[in-house]
Amino acid sequence: MSQTTPKGLHRLAFGGDYNPEQWPESVWQEDVRLMREAGVTMVSVGIFSWALLEPEPGRYDFGWLDRLLDLLHEHGVRVDLGTPTVVPPAWFYRAHPEALPVTADGVRHSYGSRGAICHSSAAYRTTAAGITTELARRYGSHPALALWHVHNEYGVPVSACYCDNCAAHFRRWLDRAYGSVEAVNEAWGTAFWGQRYGSYEEIDPPRTTPTVGNPAQQLDYRRFADATIRENFRMERDILHELAPGIPVTTNFMTALSQCDSLDYWAWAREVDLVTNDHYLITDGRRTHVNLAMAADLTRSVAGGAPWLLLEHSTSGVNWQPRNPAKRPGEMARNSLAHVARGSEGAMFFQWRQSRRGAEKFHSAMVPHGGTDTRIWREVVALGADLDALAEVRGTRTVPDVAVLWDWHSWWAQGLEWRPNEAHDARERADSFYETLYDRHLTVDFAHPEADLSAYPLVVVPALYLMTEAAGQNLREYVENGGTLVVSYFSGIVDEHDAVHPGAYPGALRDVLGLTVDEWSPLLDDQRVRIEGPDGATLTGDVWTEFVRPRGAETVWTYADGPAAGGPAVTRHRLGRGTAWYLSTRLDAASLDTIVAAACEDAGVSARAALPRDVEVVRRAGESAEYLFVLNHSGEDAVVPLDGTGTELLADGAPAVGTITVPAGAVRVVRLDV
């Protein structure tokens, strides 16, 4: 598929989910008038409309959608048209109650929400194919159509079903993956606890058991569930490709580690024509703009560095967290432009008009309950103008500085039961390393452990408990060829089947790190360790310590106390033309920055640490122009140096020479003179 941008959209995408079926048609005229006032370029339509489009099996009612798409086209608004397969109608479940998913405890979910789907259900697949086919035939050549939007947020709220249909499907999947039940026994290590299987028919999903179940089986079931959902996406995508050629097909990801942990987005990105993402600020006491930047970088990375599209975020507060604060003045625009800086080709929202009824009636929208005499509306209109002024950045790519390795399979495996310390959390390590790099004003690419890493001077491994032999060899070659590697503890331990690599820890990483680990000694909740280094400097660690035995690596920092007192805490291994660092404890923020700074020096990476904290500086570059995005999340005006001169695109074309001043909470974008 060559079309990787919304068809007919020649500006940045700006708009949101539009659910006009919630309103009388008299409101539609006001909607399109306001869309033109706000500068809306595209809306997402029909995502939850299956019951209206097919009120009875095989009887379709497209009249209202015909009128809507014609109206939007008349007013110059492009359409991202949804296949409504996330919400099968009540009549479907009445006929096929077995299509409702079952929990591991054997409880079948009820109808009345969204996403209550057993993805192994043949009836669901057939019926979903039917509505998708009808939509493709009717609207595939409609002049408003820019993009197909399959389903909605796959993987939430239900990612796995444990019913008998899924059990049969799982057995078929295992046969395709392994070829024999003997191979399954070997991969799962079923000799342990006498779990050996004599036939596929004896294998069930990993339902609730008296104690911990087989971890390799649980890991494979997560892979199976992800692959099964992806099969259903491909089924719809292929229908749309066949019946509506030339229109790209997507589905909205949720790449933030704070929002979805059930899909392998490296695999999903290979299936879509355009990577799109939904992102919402998580109110958990963290710096929300750092989580946003991380999600945007991760989305761009699964897209292979290509431009992607933010398909949903919020104008202000959401309504599904324990506490849902409003965004402060200017925060909506800053959030939107932060995504654009990191590769998005626009900023879309959930949703256009705030709902009066239903579960999300208190979720913010572009047109709030208070209408146009509100701060949110005025900021929406201003953002539309800003995005219009940035149209020329379309097609350019964000320029990275360093890479962080991430693998969803490793995350799944690490989250299983009976690990050395439940306080160790892969997401926490990824967040902490990312925040350290962010505060050094470095732009991060994420990469799969087996990907080509040669373009990055510095690669960071925050949490890769599961690592294949191929990945370990990939990192060895990266360092030998001159790269700088930083690895955190409990990485490289098991293979793809959750089996410990033969020999001493850290398994797949022994050679590149130049050390072995005799034993882990996790710390209790209130324990800390002091680490001494060059010139009497000290670091602080918690959660984890190890008895490290250097085998070529040099000891840079030593445990001053704790279980491993006197032993290596942080090591450095020169291998070939490169260097590999190892951190055997969880360092606090200041300590982690100390080690990352040393690794940056090894890698020759300029950390730009002199810039103010919470001021982002990100570059997008194309064949003929380069753009500098400066986003000030702080409460103080910031003065940022420029390499040369340029033109401020959000300041009426004002010249930028030497430095640029960015007011507190504001954004500036400079087209650099090259």
Side-chain angles (χ1 to χ4, degrees):
M1 182 77 181
S2 59
Q3 180 70 45
T4 56
T5 58
K7 184 178 180 181
L9 186 61
H10 305 298
R11 294 180 289 166
L12 294 175
F14 179 54
D17 283 29
Y18 184 33
N19 299 292
E21 60 268 34
Q22 298 178 16
W23 303 90
E25 289 197 30
S26 59
V27 177
W28 299 4
Q29 293 293 335
E30 179 186 12
D31 282 335
V32 293
R33 179 182 63 80
L34 292 177
M35 287 177 190
R36 294 187 67 169
E37 180 179 335
V40 166
T41 60
M42 187 168 74
V43 293
S44 301
V45 171
I47 297 167
F48 302 107
S49 303
W50 195 346
L52 294 179
L53 294 170
E54 189 178 6
E56 296 176 3
R59 183 173 71 83
Y60 301 100
D61 180 4
F62 293 118
W64 68 272
L65 190 55
D66 290 346
R67 296 190 295 276
L68 178 67
L69 265 59
D70 290 347
L71 180 65
L72 292 168
H73 177 62
E74 179 185 343
H75 287 80
V77 178
R78 307 296 294 162
V79 171
D80 166 34
L81 184 56
T83 66
T85 50
V86 68
V87 283
W91 58 255
F92 170 79
Y93 287 117
R94 185 177 181 185
H96 300 285
E98 77 284 357
L100 288 163
V102 174
T103 69
D105 292 328
V107 176
R108 191 176 294 277
H109 287 286
S110 297
Y111 174 75
S113 180
R114 72 176 194 185
I117 297 165
C118 167
H119 282 275
S120 294
S121 166
Y124 169 75
R125 293 185 178 200
T126 298
T127 313
I131 186 63
T132 300
T133 298
E134 293 297 325
L135 285 166
R137 286 173 174 164
R138 191 171 189 92
Y139 300 109
S141 60
H142 195 284
L145 184 62
L147 183 67
W148 286 109
H149 181 309
V150 172
H151 203 269
N152 184 72
E153 295 178 346
Y154 279 112
V156 292
V158 176
S159 60
C161 173
Y162 297 82
C163 72
D164 289 342
N165 281 335
C166 286
H169 192 183
F170 183 43
R171 295 171 194 133
R172 295 191 297 271
W173 183 87
L174 289 171
D175 189 39
R176 291 194 300 271
Y178 291 101
S180 71
V181 72
E182 291 78 13
V184 174
N185 282 316
E186 176 65 23
W188 289 2
T190 56
F192 180 79
W193 279 0
Q195 297 172 350
R196 191 168 187 83
Y197 296 103
S199 69
Y200 285 118
E201 286 66 33
E202 295 173 0
I203 301 176
D204 282 325
R207 295 167 175 146
T208 302
T209 52
T211 185
V212 175
N214 187 312
Q217 179 188 18
Q218 294 183 68
L219 178 58
D220 263 351
Y221 202 75
R222 295 203 70 160
R223 291 170 172 147
F224 157 76
D226 175 42
T228 301
I229 297 171
R230 203 157 58 246
E231 286 176 15
N232 282 348
F233 167 77
R234 283 198 297 265
M235 176 268 294
E236 293 193 45
R237 179 204 63 194
D238 292 349
I239 291 170
L240 297 170
H241 279 173
E242 178 183 356
L243 299 179
I247 306 297
V249 180
T250 191
T251 186
N252 42 343
F253 294 175
M254 299 186 73
T255 63
L257 305 186
S258 53
Q259 291 177 231
C260 181
D261 65 355
S262 57
L263 302 186
D264 175 5
Y265 285 119
W266 295 120
W268 276 85
R270 294 192 292 268
E271 306 292 349
V272 298
D273 299 322
L274 170 67
V275 167
T276 62
N277 194 53
D278 296 353
H279 181 266
Y280 293 96
L281 301 183
I282 302 299
T283 310
D284 61 359
R286 308 184 196 209
R287 297 154 72 199
T288 57
H289 56 278
V290 180
N291 175 274
L292 184 158
M294 182 175 177
D297 282 344
L298 186 50
T299 307
R300 182 188 69 254
S301 299
V302 301
W308 54 279
L309 178 58
L310 175 66
L311 210 52
E312 286 186 29
H313 72 312
S314 65
T315 57
S316 191
V318 298
N319 73 321
W320 38 264
Q321 299 183 81
R323 294 169 180 81
N324 298 287
K327 292 185 177 181
R328 298 179 180 180
E331 189 174 0
M332 175 185 66
R334 199 165 64 253
N335 289 168
S336 302
L337 296 175
H339 284 288
V340 174
R342 295 177 185 271
S344 177
E345 297 282 70
M348 306 276 285
F349 294 90
F350 180 85
Q351 59 181 322
W352 166 252
R353 184 179 286 273
Q354 198 167 13
S355 300
R356 290 187 56 227
R357 298 175 176 84
E360 294 185 292
K361 56 184 171 289
F362 300 126
H363 190 295
S364 61
M366 299 175 76
V367 181
H369 290 310
T372 58
D373 190 18
T374 57
R375 173 179 66 86
I376 286 180
W377 173 252
R378 288 187 285 273
E379 291 192 15
V380 163
V381 174
L383 176 59
D386 283 349
L387 290 171
D388 189 54
L390 296 178
E392 63 184 85
V393 307
R394 290 176 71 248
T396 61
R397 294 192 173 209
T398 301
V399 180
D401 298 301
V402 300
V404 169
L405 299 193
W406 183 256
D407 179 28
W408 276 272
H409 293 228
S410 179
W411 192 19
W412 298 341
Q414 189 171 301
L416 296 172
E417 303 96 336
W418 288 10
R419 299 306 186 226
N421 189 346
E422 65 179 13
H424 169 56
D425 177 5
R427 179 198 157 191
E428 183 278 331
R429 283 293 78 195
D431 285 345
S432 294
F433 272 89
Y434 183 89
E435 189 165 4
T436 298
L437 296 167
Y438 177 96
D439 282 341
R440 300 188 73 78
H441 303 279
L442 298 173
T443 301
V444 172
D445 265 1
F446 287 83
H448 188 275
E450 296 180 15
D452 179 5
L453 304 172
S454 58
Y456 305 105
L458 175 66
V459 170
V460 173
V461 180
L464 279 178
Y465 158 76
L466 182 155
M467 182 177 286
T468 63
E469 288 287 353
Q473 181 62 27
N474 187 43
L475 293 184
R476 180 187 176 109
E477 292 174 0
Y478 166 76
V479 174
E480 287 177 333
N481 290 326
T484 300
L485 180 69
V486 178
V487 177
S488 186
Y489 65 92
F490 204 45
S491 293
I493 306 303
V494 299
D495 67 13
E496 59 269 33
H497 303 299
D498 198 47
V500 174
H501 285 287
Y505 308 134
L509 291 169
R510 283 192 302 265
D511 292 343
V512 69
L513 295 176
L515 55 83
T516 58
V517 174
D518 288 347
E519 194 175 9
W520 304 311
S521 187
L523 302 176
L524 302 179
D525 286 348
D526 58 349
Q527 286 185 291
R528 302 288 185 275
V529 290
R530 187 167 55 87
I531 301 162
E532 293 181 343
D535 302 322
T538 61
L539 308 176
T540 301
D542 66 0
V543 172
W544 195 277
T545 61
E546 296 179 345
F547 295 94
V548 175
R549 189 187 300 268
R551 299 186 186 276
E554 62 176 306
T555 299
V556 184
W557 295 78
T558 304
Y559 287 110
D561 55 21
V570 178
T571 63
R572 182 171 179 261
H573 185 216
R574 292 180 174 87
L575 181 66
R577 295 186 287 112
T579 305
W581 290 79
Y582 184 61
L583 290 61
S584 67
T585 185
R586 190 178 82 166
L587 298 176
D588 63 20
S591 302
L592 184 58
D593 181 69
T594 297
I595 304 303
V596 169
C600 284
E601 185 175 350
D602 275 352
V605 173
S606 174
R608 309 188 193 104
L611 292 172
R613 191 171 192 256
D614 292 326
V615 175
E616 291 184 43
V617 179
V618 184
R619 291 176 184 261
R620 284 185 65 156
E623 292 183 1
S624 59
E626 186 170 335
Y627 302 89
L628 191 72
F629 285 73
V630 185
L631 304 102
N632 187 354
H633 300 283
S634 77
E636 304 290 335
D637 294 357
V639 178
V640 175
L642 294 177
D643 294 331
T645 61
T647 302
E648 290 191 44
L649 299 182
L650 300 183
D652 298 324
V657 180
T659 63
I660 182 171
T661 300
V662 186
V667 180
R668 293 291 181 264
V669 181
V670 178
R671 184 204 305 118
L672 297 172
D673 296 331
V674 293

